[in-house]
């Protein structure tokens, strides 16, 4: 006799907790064959605003942690993800219709991407920062600092896990906190990934994941005065020019949409940093 | 004549050889504009200096066509070494004509000759000298091998440091291999036209630098021109927002250097004499018409009275008057419009309960002047603590702990500059870490250098000017 399975309730991930949408809304996730798989929470504006509050609260301690510590936390994500490979492969096969081999490759690539960005956490400052030989008795140093709270729209037509990781990881490597909207029609991996984050020493609020419609949520990001940067990687099918126009109101930093999954790059880290230059006076001896 | 009184020592304007009318500088030639003209006056005397052309859409288009042609046919084919040599030539010509440029700048802008002579002009030359050396070393700009120029850059600069802002814009753009169309501010176009003469003397290929004079409409024509690849703007946050909206969706690179409301934090262990000098240079340098001015003084409560007393004493010795006089500390406000804005904001500061103190100075009859002014008893919610005044007005607030100082300093949508005064190095480092500002001066203020990146966080804009970061703002691509 076969055992009756216990299905998971897929919820949001805000401030380290897994709440349902305050709106009470859900939407159906179907397998590629059209079978019901799960109900996902359909995030509202209020959920989004709560996420931004959580991300803002987490910023000071995350950006104040040592770079070595942040690197270890990111590496830990890779470790925990590796341990749950099978679950992610199953979710990808069921909802995205990928072959088992393709799904496995997507998960492996996502794990390896965490390892790559983890390694950058304590290095990008050395590569993107510089000592400046100014004319005068000053010690003058430029360093890249986190931009702050970053909202991201994950790729909507590429592998759901790899797409999400490719936009979240560089933001975290740069010591920012993030609110992410994952792929709308394949959000299961995103919420399972939130469980990975919750067990990976990532402090509460550093990553917030809200499943929902990018077209509904993105304008609230663009007009949110406490969002410092907006990554429109997966917003190519939206009226993203209007989003960029709205974001100009607060001079929010905006990254335009990309085709597919953004390539791993140092530029993705530095895109969410601000150069701070400090002039220290030297005494005349 | 008593101690601290000086005989007048004005710089002669005799070394200027100005034209009565200036057109635009397009394709290496001075050409007539197709629209109206306007006059530039000296803000200290309201006397006419010269007439300039108000650039039309057609004028801007001519300049962009010239810049594109120069980019395609000459500048993009030149070696980096040769581009650098042109920039070195320009740096040297600025140095050779430094006194003339200083006098012209003071005449047109109203700032004291000691500032143009010792800061604006030498820094403009230094900017060209610094970026000249980058032109053949772009592989080291941090973007990988063989980064590419963007093409034609449109650049719009303000009136507070006319020639220096021109240098900040043109030097890195040309070093990176771009050609430019630049618009100086409508109240200060003079030194840009003298710079055009320098381009001719340097034998810079025609069309590499194009200068179109005019006001907001001319700037808009540059921002909206479809054949411009990059916009760099220094000015108000309001205009910067508009530019960001206009460029949305175009993929054009954009650098914005916008407003600020810099906090200058004085701890009780600070060297007070130096701090007083630094506070004064922070807010009264260039009559406070500086985007990175230290316009909010945050002083630790237990030294508040001492610092304020010393500030008043020191401000009492500053000399306001003829900007061409070598002994003048405080020059004229750049324009009637700006003077009215400052006056209105100061009136608001008084109405909201701030206690105003202004230095007793004799205000000349003609021209636009504002005496150095302090506000004490300022609350964080007051207009004078929030809005950029862009004038010689310092708002003084107090704090008790470093955490309170940091919170108050960061309590602004701007994030351009900040100052920290303390004798304790470890505290300076810790506070600097927490301040959300692009440029921080510790035990100094308002220092600028071509090797040092400058630019803001938050609503003070994005992108950096100066240093390696300022170079990459004019490049793309590169193979890592």
């Amino acid at each position: 006799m076969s055992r009756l399975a216990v299905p998971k309730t897929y919820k949001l991930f805000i401030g380290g907790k897994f709440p349902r949408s305050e709106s009470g809304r859900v939407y159906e996730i179907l397998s590629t064959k059209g079978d019901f798989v799960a109900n996902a929470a359909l995030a509202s504006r209020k959920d989004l605003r709560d996420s931004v509050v959580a991300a803002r609260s987490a910023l000071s301690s995350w950006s104040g942690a040592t770079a070595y510590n942040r690197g270890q936390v990111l590496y830990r994500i890779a470790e925990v993800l590796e341990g749950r490979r099978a679950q992610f492969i199953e979710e990808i096969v069921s909802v995205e219709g990928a072959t088992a081999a393709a799904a496995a490759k997507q998960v492996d690539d996502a794990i390896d991407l965490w390892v790559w960005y983890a390694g950058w956490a304590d290095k990008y400052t050395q590569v993107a920062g510089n000592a400046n030989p100014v004319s005068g008795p000053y010690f003058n140093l430029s360093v890249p600092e986190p931009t702050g709270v970053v909202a991201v729209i994950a790729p909507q037509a590429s592998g759901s896990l790899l797409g999400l990781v490719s936009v979240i990881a560089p933001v975290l490597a740069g010591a920012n906190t993030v609110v992410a909207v994952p792929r709308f029609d394949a959000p299961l991996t995103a919420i399972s990934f939130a469980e990975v984050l919750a067990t990976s020493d990532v402090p509460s609020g550093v990553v917030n994941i809200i499943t929902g419609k990018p077209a509904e949520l993105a304008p609230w990001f663009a007009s949110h005065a406490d969002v410092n940067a907006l990554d429109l990687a997966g917003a190519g099918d939206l009226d993203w020019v209007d989003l960029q126009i709205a974001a100009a109101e607060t001079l929010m930093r905006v990254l335009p949409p990309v085709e597919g999954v953004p390539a791993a790059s140092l530029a993705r880290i530095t895109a969410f940093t601000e150069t701070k230059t400090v002039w220290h006076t030297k005494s005349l001896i | 004549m008593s101690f601290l009184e000086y005989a007048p020592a004005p710089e002669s304007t005799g070394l200027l050889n100005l034209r009565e009318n200036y057109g635009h500088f397009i394709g290496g030639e001075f050409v007539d504009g197709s629209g109206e003209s306007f006059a530039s006056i000296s803000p200290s005397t309201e006397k006419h200096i010269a007439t300039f052309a108000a650039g039309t859409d057609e004028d801007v288009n001519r300049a962009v066509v010239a810049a594109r042609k120069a980019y395609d046919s000459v500048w993009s084919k030149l070696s980096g070494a040769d581009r650098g040599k042109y920039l070195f030539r320009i740096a040297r010509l600025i140095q050779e004509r430094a006194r003339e440029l200083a006098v012209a700048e003071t005449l047109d802008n109203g700032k004291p000759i000691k500032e143009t002579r010792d800061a604006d002009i030498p820094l403009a030359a230094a900017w060209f000298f610094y970026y000249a050396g980058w032109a053949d070393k772009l592989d080291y700009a941090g973007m990988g091998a063989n980064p590419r120029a963007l093409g034609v850059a449109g650049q719009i600069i303000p009136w507070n440091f006319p020639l220096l802002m021109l240098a900040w814009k043109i030097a890195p753009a040309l070093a990176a291999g771009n050609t430019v169309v630049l618009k100086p501010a409508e109240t200060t176009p003079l030194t840009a036209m003298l710079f055009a003469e320098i381009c001719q003397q340097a034998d810079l290929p025609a069309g590499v630098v194009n200068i179109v004079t005019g006001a907001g409409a001319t700037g808009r024509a540059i921002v909206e021109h479809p054949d411009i690849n990059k916009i760099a703007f220094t000015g108000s946050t309001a205009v910067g927002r508009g530019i960001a909206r206009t460029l949305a969706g175009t993929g054009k690179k954009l650098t914005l250097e916008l407003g600020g409301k810099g906090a200058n934090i004085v701890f009780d262990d600070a060297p007070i004499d130096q701090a007083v000098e630094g506070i004064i240079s922070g807010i009264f340098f260039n009559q406070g018409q500086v985007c990175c001015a230290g316009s909010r003084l945050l002083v630790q409560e237990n030294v508040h009275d001492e610092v304020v007393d010393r500030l008043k004493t020191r401000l009492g010795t500053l000399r306001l008057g003829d900007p061409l006089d070598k002994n003048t500390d405080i020059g004229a406000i750049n324009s009637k419009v700006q003077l009215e804005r400052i006056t209105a904001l100061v009136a608001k500061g008084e109405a909201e309960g701030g206690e105003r103190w202004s230095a007793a100075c004799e205000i000349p009859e003609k021209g636009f002047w504002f005496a150095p002014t302090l506000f004490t008893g300022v609350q964080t919610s007051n207009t004078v603590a929030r809005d950029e005044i862009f004038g010689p007005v310092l708002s003084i607030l107090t704090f008790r702990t470093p955490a309170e100082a940091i919170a108050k300093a960061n309590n602004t949508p701007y994030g351009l500059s900040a100052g920290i005064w303390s004798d304790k190095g470890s505290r300076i480092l810790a506070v600097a870490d927490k301040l959300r500002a692009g440029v921080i001066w510790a035990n100094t203020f308002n220092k600028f250098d071509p090797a040092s990146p400058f630019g803001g966080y938050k609503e003070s804009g994005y992108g950096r000017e100066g240093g390696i970061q300022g170079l990459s703002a004019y490049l793309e691509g590169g193979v890592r």
Side-chain angles (χ1 to χ4, degrees):
Chain A
M1 201 171 92
S2 70
R3 180 177 168 275
L4 191 63
V6 181
K8 180 161 84 186
T9 308
Y10 287 84
K11 298 191 284 190
L12 306 176
F13 184 55
I14 301 174
K17 295 189 160 59
F18 291 89
R20 293 188 169 83
S21 170
E22 64 78 35
S23 66
R25 302 183 305 176
V26 294
Y27 65 106
E28 281 189 0
I29 307 304
L30 303 178
S31 73
T32 42
K33 295 175 196 137
D35 300 331
F36 173 81
V37 178
N39 288 310
L42 186 64
S44 67
R45 181 191 182 194
K46 178 77 166 74
D47 297 320
L48 178 150
R49 294 179 65 85
D50 290 346
S51 304
V52 173
V53 169
R56 176 63 60 191
S57 311
L59 182 62
S60 166
S61 60
W62 178 243
S63 61
T66 65
Y68 176 43
N69 178 237
R70 277 196 306 273
Q72 288 185 90
V73 170
L74 298 198
Y75 182 76
R76 174 86 177 145
I77 296 172
E79 288 178 347
V80 178
L81 194 51
E82 178 88 27
R84 294 172 58 157
R85 270 179 93 252
Q87 175 192 358
F88 284 94
I89 291 168
E90 189 186 302
E91 282 172 340
I92 290 167
V93 168
S94 133
V95 175
E96 293 175 36
T99 62
K105 177 164 193 324
Q106 188 188 147
V107 178
D108 292 346
D109 287 350
I111 293 165
D112 292 350
L113 200 54
W114 278 114
V115 174
W116 193 76
Y117 277 116
W120 268 118
D122 55 4
K123 294 167 194 71
Y124 72 92
T125 306
Q126 290 178 307
V127 177
N130 29 272
N132 307 308
V134 296
S135 306
Y138 303 99
F139 170 62
N140 178 304
L141 197 70
S142 292
V143 292
E145 288 205 335
T147 297
V149 173
V150 181
V152 303
I153 307 295
Q156 295 294 308
S158 309
S160 62
L161 179 67
L162 185 59
L164 182 67
V165 169
S166 68
V167 289
I168 291 179
V171 174
L172 293 193
N176 302 277
T177 58
V178 64
V179 180
V181 176
R183 181 172 149 179
F184 176 73
D185 65 357
L188 304 192
T189 53
I191 295 305
S192 295
F193 178 66
E195 293 161 8
V196 169
L197 294 170
T199 52
S200 299
D201 307 329
V202 181
S204 300
V206 169
V207 181
N208 304 274
I209 297 174
I210 52 174
T211 53
K213 291 177 186 158
E216 181 189 351
L217 297 170
W220 300 125
F221 281 136
S223 63
H224 199 305
D226 212 26
V227 171
N228 300 104
L230 177 58
D231 182 358
L232 295 173
D237 288 340
L238 308 183
D239 291 329
W240 64 270
V241 176
D242 283 349
L243 296 173
Q244 200 171 1
I245 289 170
E249 185 59 28
T250 57
L251 278 313
M252 193 181 288
R253 283 73 171 133
V254 179
L255 246 63
V258 294
E259 287 285 325
V261 175
S265 70
L266 174 63
R268 276 224 148 237
I269 300 175
T270 56
F272 303 107
T273 62
E274 310 283 330
T275 300
K276 176 187 276 181
T277 300
V278 187
W279 296 63
H280 293 280
T281 307
K282 293 179 187 172
S283 70
L284 298 172
I285 49 173
Chain B
M1 196 187 290
S2 67
F3 182 62
L4 287 180
E5 274 188 42
Y6 300 86
E11 275 284 351
S12 168
T13 54
L15 77 176
L16 297 180
N17 184 20
L18 304 181
R19 308 177 190 202
E20 179 43 40
N21 291 294
Y22 287 94
H24 307 300
F25 181 66
I26 296 174
E29 303 290 336
F30 287 93
V31 299
D32 292 336
S34 67
E36 310 269 300
S37 60
F38 63 98
S40 185
I41 60 167
S42 176
S44 61
T45 58
E46 300 180 52
K47 280 189 189 149
H48 177 89
I49 298 173
T51 303
F52 296 86
T56 61
D57 290 2
E58 187 188 326
D59 296 335
V60 168
N61 190 51
R62 277 168 74 195
V64 174
V65 168
R68 176 63 60 191
K69 185 168 165 231
Y71 177 75
D72 288 342
S73 61
V74 183
W75 201 241
S76 62
K77 294 182 175 153
L78 215 55
S79 69
D82 282 352
R83 283 201 315 274
K85 282 183 180 173
Y86 279 115
L87 293 176
F88 280 124
R89 277 190 192 179
I90 290 170
R92 283 296 196 227
L93 286 161
I94 292 173
Q95 288 175 329
E96 285 162 18
R97 295 177 65 174
R99 190 54 58 94
E100 174 196 358
L101 289 164
V103 170
E105 196 79 300
T106 284
L107 187 68
D108 201 22
N109 170 281
K111 65 169 71 185
I113 186 77
K114 73 171 186 186
E115 291 184 12
T116 54
R117 185 196 60 201
D118 299 345
D120 291 64
I121 310 305
L123 275 172
W127 233 271
F128 278 98
F129 202 92
Y130 173 81
Y131 279 108
W134 266 120
D136 56 359
K137 301 169 191 70
L138 301 183
D139 283 359
Y140 299 93
M143 311 185 70
N146 299 314
R148 296 182 304 276
L150 303 170
V152 177
Q155 308 179 313
I156 300 164
I157 59 172
W159 44 259
N160 56 347
F161 296 90
L163 186 71
L164 182 56
M165 291 298 105
L166 175 149
W168 282 31
K169 296 281 182 289
I170 292 182
L174 264 48
N178 304 273
T179 58
V180 306
V181 175
L182 175 131
K183 184 191 89 65
E186 68 270 27
T187 60
T188 55
L190 184 60
T191 46
M193 286 299 155
L194 298 184
F195 179 80
E197 292 175 8
I198 286 174
C199 291
Q200 289 180 326
Q201 290 178 336
D203 207 19
L204 187 73
V208 170
V209 168
N210 304 275
I211 298 172
V212 181
T213 51
T218 314
R220 201 169 306 124
I222 292 173
V223 171
E224 291 174 357
H225 199 289
D227 201 33
I228 285 179
N229 306 93
K230 151 101 194 182
I231 296 289
F233 170 78
T234 298
S236 74
T237 291
V239 174
R241 273 192 194 107
I243 293 173
R245 275 187 209 111
T246 304
L247 291 199
T250 62
K252 292 181 185 181
K253 262 200 173 183
L254 175 59
T255 301
L256 295 173
E257 300 284 6
L258 309 177
K261 191 73 189 174
N264 207 354
I265 305 171
V266 178
F267 288 98
D268 61 4
D269 68 341
I272 299 290
D273 286 337
Q274 283 100 316
V276 165
E277 292 306 309
I279 294 162
I280 286 175
S281 97
I283 183 60
F284 300 113
F285 178 62
N286 197 16
Q287 294 69 245
Q289 302 167 121
V290 183
C291 49
C292 56
S295 53
R296 287 183 298 152
L297 177 64
L298 300 177
V299 57
Q300 199 152 15
E301 206 172 74
N302 53 328
V303 291
H304 171 269
D305 294 352
E306 183 190 355
V307 168
V308 171
D309 284 349
R310 289 216 213 180
L311 272 175
K312 287 178 179 173
T313 304
R314 181 69 181 93
L315 287 173
T317 67
L318 295 184
R319 298 162 58 88
L320 177 147
D322 181 6
L324 284 167
D325 193 313
K326 293 167 209 170
N327 295 320
T328 291
D329 300 302
I330 306 286
I333 300 300
N334 181 250
S335 67
K336 189 155 182 276
V337 174
Q338 188 56 25
L339 178 59
E340 284 167 356
R341 178 178 159 76
I342 296 166
T343 309
L345 283 165
V346 166
K348 209 164 182 185
E350 286 186 273
E352 291 177 2
E355 193 179 318
R356 175 188 175 176
W357 177 92
S358 292
C361 358
E362 208 171 304
I363 303 287
E365 258 175 48
K366 285 273 182 186
F368 317 124
W369 306 90
F370 203 92
T373 294
L374 307 177
F375 270 103
T376 48
V378 175
Q379 305 300 311
T380 47
S381 58
N382 290 168
T383 304
V384 291
R386 289 186 294 117
D387 287 16
E388 182 175 43
I389 297 173
F390 225 64
V393 183
L394 179 65
S395 303
I396 304 176
L397 299 92
T398 59
F399 69 89
R400 289 183 180 173
T401 63
E404 185 187 359
I406 291 161
K408 281 184 166 164
N410 289 338
N411 182 20
T412 167
Y414 296 117
L416 188 50
S417 71
I420 307 168
W421 297 85
S422 169
D423 236 3
K424 199 168 181 185
S426 57
R427 173 149 61 197
I428 289 170
L429 290 166
V431 172
D433 264 358
K434 297 278 183 193
L435 293 175
R436 302 288 292 160
V439 186
I440 294 170
W441 290 288
N443 292 324
T444 183
F445 211 95
N446 272 346
K447 291 287 183 292
F448 308 97
D449 195 284
S452 181
F454 181 94
Y457 284 32
K458 300 193 284 184
E459 295 188 22
S460 289
Y462 34 72
R464 291 292 177 268
E465 293 186 304
I468 190 172
Q469 284 84 354
L471 182 68
S472 58
Y474 287 96
L475 291 168
E476 65 183 356
V479 181
R480 281 190 186 276

